Amino acid sequence: MIMKDLLRSKVNRSQLAGTGTKRASVYATRSDFCRIFMEDMDGLYLLSLLLTADHEKAEQCFVVGLEDCVQGNPVFKEWAHSWSRRTIIKHAIRMISPVPNQARSTSEITSNEVEGASEANASMAAVFRLEPFERFVFVMSVLEGYSNQECALLLNCMRQDVVTLRARALQHLALADVRLITPVAPNTEGFKNEQFLSLIGAA
């Protein structure tokens, strides 16, 4: 795939550029982040795509996220993976600037681009059809497991906005017959998402 070849070339160039920089072993190095972005390229790109609903923006988000990680402030090694995903989310927020009741952009992926015979494509199409703010809240709180407070801080909104829009997103997905997202127990905010993520990750 041309897109993946392009991303790999960018990762390789960043890795070569960072080989001369050494930090204390307790911190993640440039090479550590390059390895994370290379090994989890599909997962990080999928996160970018689910948030932006736009292939070009998702690619930009991935590349800028990598550059931010390798050039940014020191991060403890054990935080490197979660920091990489958080960086992707923060850049996607800057790109899309989601706010409640925001209409979908004409540049966002249409359902016809991802709909097909597979359940994976149908699930992705349903997520892409969500309003931008609904989509961000769903991905951040349900799939990534961010708390209401974390989502509110990152999205610059009220906690109640997160609660309300998550409920609306889940209702829309239920109406779209996305049955891979089920509550762990009644009256809880936890969800089982491994099957959903692994399925759409293979799409």
Side-chain angles (χ1 to χ4, degrees), residues 18-194:
T19 54
T21 302
K22 299 296 181 181
R23 291 175 177 166
S25 59
V26 70
Y27 294 112
T29 64
R30 291 186 177 186
S31 294
D32 289 329
F33 279 116
C34 288
R35 176 180 51 78
I36 289 170
F37 273 74
M38 178 63 77
E39 292 178 354
D40 193 24
M41 180 181 294
D42 290 343
L44 291 171
Y45 178 76
L46 175 60
L47 174 60
S48 301
L49 183 59
L50 286 172
L51 290 169
T52 63
D54 182 288
H55 285 296
E56 184 176 350
K57 289 180 180 177
E59 181 179 327
Q60 293 173 0
C61 190
F62 179 98
V63 174
V64 174
L66 168 62
E67 293 173 349
D68 191 27
C69 284
V70 301
Q71 297 174 9
N73 295 325
V75 176
F76 289 120
K77 277 190 174 182
E78 59 265 33
W79 295 355
H81 283 87
S82 60
W83 187 262
S84 299
R85 300 187 73 83
R86 189 180 184 88
T87 300
I88 291 289
I89 291 171
K90 290 172 70 175
H91 280 292
I93 291 172
R94 292 172 190 168
M95 284 184 179
I96 306 301
S97 299
V99 294
N101 302 314
Q102 175 185 10
R104 291 176 66 242
S105 168
T106 55
S107 65
E108 291 178 355
I109 296 172
T110 64
S111 58
N112 290 333
E113 291 183 67
V114 290
E115 283 182 337
S118 76
E119 194 171 11
N121 287 340
S123 297
M124 291 186 72
V127 174
F128 293 146
R129 282 195 294 267
L130 296 174
E131 293 177 359
F133 193 88
E134 288 181 6
R135 190 172 66 244
F136 271 80
V137 168
F138 168 74
V139 173
M140 291 169 63
S141 67
V142 178
L143 299 186
E144 293 296 306
Y146 280 42
S147 69
N148 292 340
Q149 184 63 24
E150 288 178 302
C151 291
L153 288 173
L154 288 169
L155 292 168
N156 193 29
C157 66
M158 303 293 291
R159 290 179 61 181
Q160 186 57 43
D161 291 330
V162 175
V163 175
T164 301
L165 271 297
R166 179 175 59 241
R168 186 189 299 175
L170 291 170
Q171 182 180 31
H172 287 164
L173 292 174
L175 291 174
D177 200 26
V178 177
R179 292 164 292 186
L180 301 179
I181 309 160
T182 56
V184 173
N187 302 318
T188 67
E189 294 183 359
F191 290 82
K192 296 177 181 178
N193 307 296
E194 293 82 0

